Amino acid sequence: MAKPLSDQERRRQISIRGIVGVENVAELKKGFNRHLHFTLVKDRNVATPRDYFFALAHTVRDHLVGRWIRTQQHYYDKCPKLGLDMEELEEIEEDAGLGNGGLGRLAACFLDSMATLGLAAYGYGIRYEYGIFNQKIRDGWQVEEADDWLRHGNPWEKARPEFMLPVHFYGKVEHTQTGTKWVDTQVVLALPYDTPVPGYMNNTVNTMRLWSARAPNDFNLRDFNVGDYIQAVLDRNLAENISRVLYPNDNFFEGKELRLKQEYFVVAATLQDVIRRFKASKFGSSSSAGAVFDAFPEQVAIQLNDTHPALAIPELMRIFVDIEKLPWAKAWDITRKTFAYTNHTVLPEALERWPVELVEKLLPRHLQIIYEINQKHLDRIVALFPRDVERLRRMSLIEEEGGKRINMAHLCIVGSHAVNGVAKIHSDIIKTQVFKDFSELEPDKFQNKTNGITPRRWLLLCNPGLAELIAEKIGEDYVRDLSQLTRLHSFLGDDVFLREIANVKQENKLKFSQFLEKEYKVKINPSSMFDVHVKRIHEYKRQLLNCLHVITMYNRIKKDPKKLFVPRTVIIGGKAAPGYHMAKMIIKLITSVAHVVNNDPVVGSKLKVIFLENYRVSLAEKVIPATDLSEQISTAGTEASGTGNMKFMLNGALTIGTMDGANVEMAEEAGEENLFIFGMRVEDVAALDKKGYEAKEYYEALPELKLVIDQIDNGFFSPKQPDLFKDLVNMLFHHDRFKVFADYEAYVKCQEKVSELYMNPKAWNTMVLRNIAASGKFSSDRTIKEYARDIWDMEPSDLKISLASEPSSGLNAANGN
């Protein structure tokens, strides 16, 4: 007799069946066997788990292809506005690490939402051969390894060589009687690879198009002509290096020529593609020669995801003025109506400022256009503020101090019709501080669009137990309308439901404990509080503050081992940019502290510290559902929004955090009493800056803090190298921009409240349910609806596209690719 399924297994079966939406299991098996035999040329005697993964991936892709083609046909037929924006077998799939930190992950959530909402949208980027590096921890230090994610191929992508496009670099500018020409350029080809982006249960499949750099056949033919054929072929690599590797910096600008090439490469290829698609549409093909682009802003919206694609503004102007022969005023009007700009950071070192000299060498025509844009912009400022020279300097696109540089954020603001931040507090800081002059000039241009996450990946896929539990109470429609989670408030008094939520969390913790024990050989107490801090390693995110608290807890246990202590497993993970010395030292400190704590028999199972190696999306999907406490402890005014905070909230973790980024709105939605809020607010930080931050005052006033710092400084955690952490200690005392000591006392006291509540399971789980019920606002569907309504002038569609087996009146699919 078959063993009955456990609740978790039953939920997983139901959830997976619902997610896949496969109509016929027998058909799925048939397709799987067909691909195993005919695509992979294997049978079950010789097939490896990777072969099975590829057979399954190709089978699922078959189900997407018909919908994908029908979606593109539908867009061409209806001509809606072109939006732009950018278990064992599961384990085999490589993470496509094509983005840095939260910004790249946010774009992926947005693509999911745009498809689910039926928006005619395309995501564009670079098909990096090597994505964000793989992080190894060796002897406690971060070591980077290349992420060769394509070594086994990628079953989801389809190369489109028929849509290959030229991209120009270098050369010179000639002004002729027939107009301005950019000549003697070096050409690199952009080869598109398309990946399907399926919407949730609506048959829509949108496209993510990633560009790969290829050298043309005549690349460096001059060398060939003088007989050096080998060198000519070898030099092709110089062109193809453009899409070789992702720069792994998050919140730090690196002004390298290759990086500028990458930024222009994706922009130039994408705009050609967008214009080709527009001209093929009924709006672009039916207009008279002079009016062909009049409808462009009504049909095309381009969202600049931070300043990395800022060169799209002068590039579109170059196309309009030099190639399409539009008058400057008309070209500029169309360009501004087409572009909108999202700012993702206020950290000054993260804002892009390209040296004029480098832009002149690589993109001489674009520099001229930028100067022309700036001149017209400054003429307007002079007319409005005749004698305000200081304002002119502040608002110029060209900065003069320390060498001439182009301020890319200023270019984006001047060249766009809308500018937005990504959380209420962030958008306020942009308006009142960072871009104050621009906001005063055009207040209506500035908006807020609070970030969101897709509930399909960040609940259904990663936490099927909780997803099913919610569906049993309020139905399944919440997956497409997350605001329905508010209906869970009516179950706050339901003790059985609260216990069920706690049981799902405990099952997730048990599973993750087993993973940690296997990977790290550390015995985990699954009933301990899982206190998790996962994000890029950066001083502003204050992993150091967390580390100081860990040492404080360790010292308290050592001082009085018999005293009641709520057991904790502290999990910290994230990558440091390879050249970021202080971030790498923070990782070394955490791993050194972990080594001492985890091997101290007095501590036992009360406290364990794990540094999660190689934090990435597939690891996030494991750790987030298992988390009790989410650490969101950036210095107030430094985190633009955060999206990890939203993922933890949706998955039933409680937040300890500052009033920063989206934490502010999470506290608004759930009630501040249902988050553990501590520390300085934005105005307190400003007041402390004005007064002068003296770290030593806190060190001398707080005995526990003094002990912790002395231990780090005296080599307690690095006995073989007593001065190993001198740079860290020196930074904390003398140039800590993020004021770790100033929030230490409030943080430690807040953590005591966390432990106190954790000892009362009913009160804890009630707060968990309040947070889940209040997390509906933080769906990327809501964010994208706001972008569509307020910026792109588009309407989401509920239309379910007909499947390939059904008749369609769509145009030939070739137009839509």
Side-chain angles (χ1 to χ4, degrees):
M1 190 171 137
K3 191 176 115 189
L5 294 171
S6 70
D7 282 356
Q8 178 75 347
E9 287 169 329
R10 178 172 55 81
R11 286 189 195 116
R12 184 157 178 80
Q13 273 204 346
I14 292 167
S15 299
I16 281 181
R17 203 166 273 184
I19 289 167
V20 173
V22 171
E23 295 80 8
N24 185 322
V25 176
E27 279 296 308
L28 187 77
K29 287 179 177 173
K30 204 160 120 187
F32 179 89
N33 287 324
R34 179 168 54 80
H35 279 297
L36 188 63
H37 292 166
F38 297 113
T39 306
L40 298 160
V41 197
K42 293 280 183 82
D43 66 18
R44 296 200 178 222
N45 296 316
V46 293
T48 66
R50 188 173 304 282
D51 293 325
Y52 291 137
F53 161 67
F54 269 87
L56 181 61
H58 281 295
T59 307
V60 173
R61 196 181 76 167
D62 288 350
H63 281 266
L64 289 178
V65 165
R67 300 172 197 178
W68 194 5
I69 291 169
R70 283 297 164 116
T71 299
Q72 306 312 311
Q73 286 176 337
H74 167 71
Y75 291 162
Y76 265 80
D77 195 26
K78 303 297 179 194
C79 268
K81 190 165 187 172
L82 299 171
L84 184 81
D85 192 66
M86 284 226 210
E87 290 261 23
E88 186 188 355
L89 292 183
E90 277 182 355
E91 293 297 319
I92 287 168
E93 184 165 12
E94 301 276 349
D95 285 57
L98 299 179
N100 257 309
L103 185 58
R105 183 53 248 170
L106 178 74
C109 285
F110 281 179
L111 289 178
D112 174 279
S113 286
M114 289 189 286
T116 296
L117 293 169
L119 292 169
Y122 298 80
Y124 283 100
I126 294 177
R127 182 183 176 268
Y128 295 106
E129 204 173 309
Y130 295 91
I132 184 77
F133 62 89
N134 283 324
Q135 178 195 56
K136 299 288 181 194
I137 301 297
R138 300 216 176 100
D139 190 30
W141 294 97
Q142 170 176 298
V143 176
E144 299 87 25
E145 289 185 353
D147 169 34
D148 190 7
W149 73 288
L150 290 168
R151 65 190 177 280
H152 297 294
N154 174 9
W156 303 112
E157 67 182 12
K158 175 76 179 77
R160 300 285 197 188
E162 67 275 24
F163 292 111
M164 195 142 60
L165 294 165
V167 175
H168 298 261
F169 295 101
Y170 305 110
K172 62 185 182 185
V173 180
E174 289 181 352
H175 298 281
T176 69
Q177 285 187 325
T178 55
T180 305
K181 290 185 169 61
W182 181 19
V183 298
D184 296 340
T185 56
Q186 185 186 99
V187 175
V188 175
L189 298 176
L191 171 63
Y193 285 79
D194 288 355
T195 298
V197 181
Y200 181 72
M201 307 292 267
N202 65 349
N203 294 338
T204 293
V205 182
N206 280 346
T207 302
M208 175 175 72
R209 177 160 283 183
L210 302 179
W211 301 102
S212 182
R214 295 286 187 272
N217 277 336
D218 62 351
F219 187 79
N220 273 353
L221 200 60
R222 285 165 298 211
D223 290 333
F224 180 43
N225 289 340
V226 297
D228 199 347
Y229 159 73
I230 298 295
Q231 192 57 48
V233 174
L234 292 179
D235 282 356
R236 293 170 65 88
N237 280 336
L238 299 174
E240 294 175 2
N241 279 343
I242 290 172
S243 59
R244 193 83 66 207
V245 63
L246 169 73
Y247 276 86
N249 291 306
D250 191 53
N251 285 304
F252 183 80
F253 167 60
E254 188 164 12
K256 300 278 179 70
E257 182 173 340
L258 178 59
R259 179 65 188 145
L260 186 58
K261 274 188 178 177
Q262 289 178 340
E263 293 188 358
Y264 179 65
F265 175 75
V266 68
V267 154
T270 297
L271 284 179
Q272 288 180 74
D273 206 43
V274 168
I275 288 169
R276 173 190 61 78
R277 195 180 281 118
F278 170 74
K279 284 183 170 180
S281 74
K282 60 189 177 193
F283 293 96
S285 56
S286 61
S287 305
S288 64
V292 70
F293 288 105
D294 287 359
F296 194 76
E298 281 74 55
Q299 298 307 312
V300 177
I302 301 179
Q303 192 69 35
L304 302 172
N305 197 22
D306 221 347
T307 56
H308 310 125
L311 287 167
I313 292 167
E315 172 66 1
L316 190 58
M317 284 299 289
R318 185 187 71 84
I319 292 168
F320 283 160
V321 173
D322 294 359
I323 298 168
E324 301 292 345
K325 306 299 183 189
L326 267 60
W328 179 279
K330 183 174 183 177
W332 184 240
D333 181 54
I334 295 170
T335 296
R336 287 189 83 212
K337 285 176 179 170
T338 300
F339 287 111
Y341 161 53
T342 303
N343 173 277
H344 288 275
T345 182
V346 297
L347 296 180
E349 68 268 30
L351 297 172
E352 289 194 297
R353 293 172 166 92
W354 286 104
V356 162
E357 200 179 356
L358 178 57
V359 177
E360 187 171 33
K361 172 186 159 191
L362 194 70
L363 303 165
R365 179 57 181 142
H366 297 76
L367 182 64
Q368 292 180 350
I369 290 169
I370 290 166
Y371 270 122
E372 183 77 10
I373 292 168
N374 193 40
Q375 189 58 56
K376 287 178 162 51
H377 161 62
L378 294 180
D379 288 347
R380 183 181 174 214
I381 307 303
V382 168
L384 291 166
F385 308 95
R387 283 171 295 281
D388 198 339
V389 178
E390 191 53 31
R391 184 184 295 263
L392 269 184
R393 186 191 63 76
R394 291 195 309 265
M395 294 186 76
S396 176
L397 273 54
I398 311 295
E399 297 178 352
E400 304 281 348
E401 282 177 36
K404 280 193 172 185
R405 293 175 178 270
I406 303 165
N407 185 314
M408 302 308 268
H410 289 184
L411 174 61
C412 286
I413 294 169
V414 171
S416 297
H417 69 277
V419 177
N420 71 280
V422 288
K424 267 186 204 163
I425 187 172
H426 172 231
S427 297
D428 286 343
I429 289 168
I430 280 175
K431 280 189 275 196
T432 59
Q433 295 174 41
V434 188
F435 304 128
K436 183 171 183 279
D437 294 314
F438 292 93
S439 170
E440 286 173 355
L441 188 67
E442 297 179 289
D444 294 344
K445 184 185 272 195
F446 287 77
Q447 308 185 11
N448 174 59
K449 296 285 169 278
T450 299
N451 281 341
I453 57 168
T454 167
R456 271 74 63 180
R457 178 173 296 275
W458 296 112
L459 183 59
L460 261 70
L461 189 67
C462 71
N463 200 348
L466 181 59
E468 190 63 27
L469 204 54
I470 293 168
E472 284 168 8
K473 290 294 179 191
I474 64 170
E476 293 178 11
D477 289 350
Y478 78 90
V479 178
R480 284 183 66 117
D481 177 12
L482 208 61
S483 66
Q484 291 189 24
L485 290 180
T486 54
R487 291 164 58 196
L488 291 173
H489 281 116
S490 58
F491 299 99
L492 284 166
D494 186 335
D495 288 355
V496 175
F497 186 53
L498 289 175
R499 274 200 304 276
E500 285 180 314
I501 284 177
N503 289 342
V504 167
K505 178 65 73 180
Q506 198 53 40
E507 284 170 4
N508 292 334
K509 286 173 70 173
L510 271 167
K511 191 175 174 185
F512 194 60
S513 298
Q514 290 160 1
F515 169 82
L516 290 177
E517 285 178 31
K518 179 168 166 278
E519 294 292 320
Y520 297 94
K521 311 295 182 269
V522 175
K523 183 76 181 147
I524 302 294
N525 175 1
S527 62
S528 64
M529 182 200 309
F530 281 22
D531 173 346
V532 177
H533 197 176
V534 285
K535 50 187 79 252
R536 289 302 287 269
I537 308 294
H538 197 290
E539 288 164 82
Y540 92 84
K541 293 181 185 283
R542 297 204 295 192
Q543 286 92 353
L544 268 177
L545 181 58
N546 190 347
C547 196
L548 300 189
H549 175 244
V550 169
I551 301 171
T552 304
M553 289 191 291
Y554 172 73
N555 288 337
R556 287 180 177 183
I557 295 168
K558 293 289 280 184
K559 188 178 177 185
D560 191 353
K562 291 190 168 59
K563 191 176 178 185
L564 176 68
F565 183 86
V566 178
R568 283 200 192 214
T569 300
V570 178
I571 298 163
I572 303 175
K575 295 175 181 179
Y580 189 174
H581 170 68
M582 202 56 72
K584 288 187 151 182
M585 290 307 304
I586 290 167
I587 291 175
K588 178 59 176 172
L589 177 63
I590 294 164
T591 55
S592 301
V593 169
H595 181 72
V596 171
V597 170
N598 296 346
N599 291 294
D600 192 324
V602 174
V603 174
S605 64
K606 289 179 179 175
L607 181 61
K608 287 285 184 265
V609 182
I610 301 279
F611 186 85
L612 271 188
E613 185 179 71
N614 203 33
Y615 183 63
R616 58 202 185 280
V617 170
S618 56
L619 193 47
E621 291 168 355
K622 292 182 173 69
V623 66
I624 289 170
T627 299
D628 293 307
L629 184 70
S630 158
E631 300 267 354
Q632 308 294 335
I633 58 175
S634 52
T635 312
T638 60
E639 184 72 88
S641 171
T643 51
N645 45 4
M646 302 168 184
K647 292 162 194 168
F648 285 106
M649 185 189 198
L650 180 60
N651 281 274
L654 299 185
T655 299
I656 183 165
T658 50
M659 273 300 201
D660 198 23
N663 291 0
V664 176
E665 287 157 81
M666 286 162 55
E668 268 176 26
E669 295 295 307
E672 201 175 315
E673 69 281 4
N674 292 304
L675 278 76
F676 298 102
I677 298 294
F678 74 93
M680 296 179 289
R681 312 274 166 134
V682 167
E683 53 274 20
D684 302 320
V685 174
L688 187 53
D689 276 329
K690 199 172 178 185
K691 168 179 168 278
Y693 169 61
E694 293 292 341
K696 203 157 190 221
E697 291 175 9
Y698 299 92
Y699 168 80
E700 286 168 351
L702 303 167
E704 283 192 308
L705 175 62
K706 183 177 190 302
L707 174 60
V708 168
I709 297 303
D710 289 349
Q711 286 171 307
I712 296 169
D713 198 22
N714 298 334
F716 181 86
F717 299 103
S718 55
K720 290 178 182 170
Q721 275 180 277
D723 62 348
L724 179 61
F725 299 115
K726 68 176 189 304
D727 287 356
L728 266 181
V729 173
N730 183 53
M731 180 274 290
L732 284 168
F733 275 115
H734 303 296
H735 48 96
D736 177 14
R737 293 156 56 203
F738 305 107
K739 304 173 179 61
V740 169
F741 289 3
D743 272 341
Y744 168 84
E745 187 179 23
Y747 180 57
V748 171
K749 284 183 175 165
C750 194
Q751 288 282 17
E752 289 166 7
K753 287 186 193 165
V754 173
S755 292
E756 195 183 324
L757 190 74
Y758 194 73
M759 290 194 299
N760 181 342
K762 185 176 177 182
W764 181 276
N765 292 321
T766 302
M767 199 184 279
V768 163
L769 183 53
R770 285 187 195 279
N771 272 268
I772 295 169
S775 61
K777 173 180 178 176
F778 305 107
S779 168
S780 49
D781 296 348
R782 186 266 318 149
T783 313
I784 288 298
K785 280 178 185 171
E786 289 181 9
Y787 273 103
R789 181 191 66 220
D790 302 337
I791 296 177
W792 304 334
D793 195 21
M794 293 176 76
E795 281 299 322
S797 165
D798 290 331
L799 182 75
K800 193 165 182 176
I801 289 173
S802 60
L803 290 172
S805 55
E806 300 166 12
S808 163
S809 59
L811 300 177
N812 188 293
N815 285 347
N817 290 322

